[in-house]
């Protein structure tokens, strides 16, 4: 075992997971997008405007305002700037905002690199879209490793007025910039994000929405809450804002789940404080926090998160200590929800295995530790069999070992599961020995 892997303490596994990602990277125009690629115009336009280059993927709705505009910068963990833009373009139209995804920021880069990317992106957007608008108000949004980038961006971009983050806690010093967070109930980082949110102390403004999802960009219906917050901040319509907070208090009053009731009231407090308005739900929130039933529910959930964190630490040791027979049994029990644990927690632990399997197999390949890579890739495959990246990395390992048939089999499987990065395959050193293979060339030809 190489030095880097041999001396890696098990407790440091959480830090190892911070800036890696599985999946594909693709820059340029999104295939299948029917919008023309064009520069934004200073006069009103009747069609949406798309800008795509190596730096960014930008979307400006046809109904945009003609003077100033809000711009949300999105940071995807895989450097796929178009992905969040396609996901949230309906919100951009509804709230008349410019949304821009970075094609350069991705997991695996250090903060020095991502900070430079953030500054260059703001400069690029200001240069291109500044021709059309006298003022651009910037916000940042990110998912997973991109969430870490978005939260760190405020350290070098003071013009950022707010941050939307999803699926990961911060990994650097926070500024005073307000935070609006999202995390899925089935996200393997749920406990970490909840713990992070609880650690943020006044007067910093923050809110966390726990939604019914997994480790992924929030659904547009969920992200709408964050975009609406930005719209309220920029629109300065106190009547509209008062109506939103009033609705939240009303929903809290009719909600039976005490923790969901609290979430409604916490959001109302967040909006009220940020917009400098009276907190309509403050008294109800104080009353809720004095109730033994709420304290019991909160303590139960806290113990669940603490138990999950402890289990993740134990599993971190097991990656190196336990054999594949043990792992197969453990993963099967979690997949069947047969452990005496909440079902959502079992799903989150499987997600943790998947992410750790990816990161540890990638590191093993980098350290030329093929036996360790093989073990970690099998854990990755067992815990996340529909993920195309696990099949792709198995093909890489087989290619390194000059095993043509297994390499082709795993590559074919990765495409079946959704892998589509043709340039990555072409540039992968481990596949160079396959160049003369008709089957390999046929596989490439089958890709767009």
């Amino acid at each position: 075992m190489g030095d880097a892997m041999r001396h890696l303490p098990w407790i440091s596994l959480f830090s190892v997971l911070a800036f890696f990602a599985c999946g594909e990277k693709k820059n340029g125009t999104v295939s299948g997008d029917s919008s023309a690629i064009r520069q934004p115009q200073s006069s009103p336009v009747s069609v949406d405007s798309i800008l795509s280059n190596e730096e960014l993927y930008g979307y400006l709705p046809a109904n945009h305002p003609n003077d100033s505009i809000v711009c949300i910068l999105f940071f995807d963990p895989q450097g796929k700037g178009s992905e969040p833009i396609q996901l949230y373009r309906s919100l951009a139209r509804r709230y008349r905002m410019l949304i821009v995804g970075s094609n350069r920021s991705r997991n695996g880069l250090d903060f020095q690199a991502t900070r430079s990317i953030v500054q260059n992106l703001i400069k690029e957007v200001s240069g291109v879209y500044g021709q059309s608008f006298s003022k651009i108000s910037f916000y940042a949004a990110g998912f997973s490793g991109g969430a870490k980038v978005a939260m760190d961006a405020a350290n070098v971009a003071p013009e950022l007025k707010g941050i939307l983050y999803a699926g990961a806690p911060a990994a650097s010093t926070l500024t005073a910039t307000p935070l609006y967070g999202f995390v899925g109930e089935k996200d393997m980082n749920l406990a970490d994000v909840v713990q992070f949110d609880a650690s943020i102390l006044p007067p910093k403004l923050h809110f966390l929405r726990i939604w019914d999802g997994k480790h992924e960009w929030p659904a547009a219906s969920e992200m709408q809450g964050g975009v609406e917050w930005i719209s309220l901040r920029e629109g300065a319509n106190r009547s509209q804002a008062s109506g939103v907070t009033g609705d939240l208090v009303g929903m809290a009053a009719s909600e039976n789940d005490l923790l969901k009731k609290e979430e409604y009231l916490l959001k109302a407090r967040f909006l009220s404080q940020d917009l400098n308005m009276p907190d309509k739900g403050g008294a109800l929130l104080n009353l809720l926090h004095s109730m033994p039933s709420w304290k019991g529910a909160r303590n139960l959930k806290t113990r669940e998160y603490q138990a999950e964190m402890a289990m993740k630490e134990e599993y971190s040791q097991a990656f190196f200590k336990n054999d594949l027979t043990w792992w197969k049994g453990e993963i099967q029990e979690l997949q069947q929800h047969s452990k005496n644990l909440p079902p959502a927690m079992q799903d989150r632990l499987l997600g943790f295995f998947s992410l750790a399997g990816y990161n540890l197999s990638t590191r093993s390949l980098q350290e030329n530790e093929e036996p360790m890579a093989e073990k970690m890739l099998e854990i990755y495959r067992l815990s996340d069999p529909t993920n195309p990246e696990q099949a792709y990395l198995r093909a890489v390992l087989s290619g390194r070992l000059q095993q043509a048939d297994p390499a082709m089999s795993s590559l074919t499987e990765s495409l079946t599961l959704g892998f589509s990065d043709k340039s990555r395959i072409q540039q992968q050193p481990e596949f160079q020995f396959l160049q003369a293979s008709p089957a390999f060339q046929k596989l490439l030809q089958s890709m767009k």
Side-chain angles (χ1 to χ4, degrees):
M1 186 177 295
D3 288 343
M5 184 65 74
R6 181 168 58 246
H7 298 300
L8 180 66
W10 66 265
I11 193 67
S12 69
L13 179 59
F14 295 115
S15 63
V16 173
L17 305 185
F19 273 96
F20 289 87
C22 51
E24 313 157 323
K25 176 180 179 296
K26 178 172 68 177
N27 294 334
T29 309
V30 173
S31 59
D33 193 305
S34 60
S35 302
I37 300 175
R38 58 177 68 83
Q39 298 286 344
Q41 303 174 22
S42 57
S43 58
V45 292
S46 58
V47 293
D48 294 346
S49 178
I50 300 292
L51 177 64
S52 179
N53 58 37
E54 291 185 355
E55 189 77 26
L56 60 86
Y57 187 96
Y59 172 72
L60 183 66
N63 65 340
H64 64 76
N66 297 322
D67 46 5
S68 62
I69 197 165
V70 173
C71 174
I72 305 178
L73 305 174
F74 286 87
F75 299 95
D76 182 76
Q78 300 172 23
K80 300 164 84 171
S82 62
E83 183 165 321
I85 304 311
Q86 299 288 27
L87 184 59
Y88 303 130
R89 60 192 300 168
S90 62
L91 295 178
R93 285 194 295 267
R94 177 171 180 174
Y95 293 96
R96 307 176 70 206
M97 294 180 180
L98 166 65
I99 54 176
V100 175
S102 170
N103 285 331
R104 295 197 182 276
S105 175
R106 61 186 182 278
N107 286 355
L109 303 177
D110 59 30
F111 277 135
Q112 182 178 356
T114 58
R115 287 175 176 180
S116 177
I117 289 170
V118 168
Q119 292 174 315
N120 289 336
L121 184 61
I122 291 176
K123 182 178 180 181
E124 177 86 359
V125 170
S126 299
V128 173
Y129 293 96
Q131 304 170 28
S132 302
F133 304 103
S134 59
K135 176 185 176 184
I136 302 177
S137 297
F138 285 101
Y139 290 77
F143 158 62
S144 192
K148 299 175 186 292
V149 173
M151 286 185 276
D152 178 72
N155 286 297
V156 292
E159 56 265 68
L160 290 176
K161 301 173 69 174
I163 309 292
L164 305 174
Y165 73 95
S172 63
T173 303
L174 294 175
T175 68
T177 311
L179 299 175
Y180 191 115
F182 302 87
V183 67
E185 183 67 35
K186 296 180 181 179
D187 192 325
M188 68 275 195
N189 290 334
L190 173 64
D192 306 79
V193 175
V194 170
Q195 184 180 63
F196 162 70
D197 179 73
S199 72
I200 304 175
L201 301 176
K204 183 172 178 62
L205 295 175
H206 62 101
F207 170 71
L208 177 63
R209 163 66 176 158
I210 300 177
W211 69 290
D212 183 22
K214 53 185 180 179
H215 190 65
E216 59 190 345
W217 278 104
S221 58
E222 291 295 336
M223 181 60 77
Q224 181 177 336
V227 176
E228 182 181 54
W229 163 59
I230 294 174
S231 178
L232 292 173
R233 299 186 95 226
E234 295 296 324
N237 186 327
R238 292 184 64 85
S239 176
Q240 181 183 7
S242 179
V244 171
T245 57
D247 288 343
L248 288 167
V249 174
M251 288 186 285
S254 60
E255 176 60 60
N256 294 321
D257 186 308
L258 297 181
L259 297 183
K260 290 183 179 179
K261 182 190 292 286
E262 180 192 32
E263 185 178 288
Y264 286 131
L265 296 174
L266 287 174
K267 182 175 180 180
R269 185 179 69 180
F270 168 77
L271 294 176
S272 298
Q273 291 177 342
D274 188 41
L275 301 174
N276 195 25
M277 296 168 46
D279 184 3
K280 296 180 179 180
L284 186 56
L285 182 61
N286 291 336
L287 176 62
L288 178 67
H289 285 169
S290 69
M291 295 171 57
S293 54
W294 172 84
K295 293 178 181 178
R298 172 53 61 199
N299 289 338
L300 182 64
K301 186 61 69 173
T302 298
R303 288 195 296 271
E304 177 184 321
Y305 293 151
Q306 290 173 340
E308 184 173 338
M309 295 287 282
M311 292 182 70
K312 287 163 85 172
E313 290 185 354
E314 293 176 1
Y315 282 127
S316 295
Q317 298 181 66
F319 282 108
F320 303 100
K321 292 170 54 177
N322 294 15
D323 61 22
L324 283 174
T325 300
W326 182 90
W327 275 104
K328 289 177 182 178
E330 195 71 9
I331 290 171
Q332 185 176 54
E333 283 190 76
L334 290 170
Q335 289 173 332
Q336 296 174 350
H337 290 176
S338 58
K339 284 186 173 291
N340 187 27
L341 298 169
M345 183 192 293
Q346 297 186 64
D347 291 335
R348 293 194 295 268
L349 289 172
L350 287 169
F352 173 69
F353 297 167
S354 172
L355 181 60
Y358 166 78
N359 291 328
L360 294 174
S361 62
T362 300
R363 173 165 288 205
S364 297
L365 288 169
Q366 291 171 346
E367 295 291 326
N368 297 316
E369 295 292 342
E370 285 78 16
M372 178 63 73
E374 184 177 13
K375 176 183 177 181
M376 296 306 165
L377 282 171
E378 182 62 8
I379 293 173
Y380 189 10
R381 183 189 71 82
L382 290 169
S383 59
D384 198 359
T386 62
N387 191 317
E389 186 70 11
Q390 55 83 18
Y392 182 85
L393 290 177
R394 286 191 285 112
V396 170
L397 177 60
S398 296
R400 181 172 295 187
L401 299 176
Q402 299 286 295
Q403 298 172 344
D405 289 344
M408 285 301 304
S409 177
S410 295
L411 261 183
T412 302
E413 180 185 344
S414 71
L415 266 63
T416 301
L417 293 173
F419 189 90
S420 60
D421 195 339
K422 183 177 181 179
S423 63
R424 185 179 172 193
I425 296 176
Q426 292 172 318
Q427 296 168 16
Q428 191 75 45
E430 287 82 358
F431 299 152
Q432 290 305 306
F433 82 108
L434 294 172
Q435 292 294 329
S437 165
F440 182 74
Q441 292 300 324
K442 183 178 180 181
L443 181 144
L444 291 177
Q445 293 171 6
S446 70
M447 303 178 72
K448 294 181 179 180

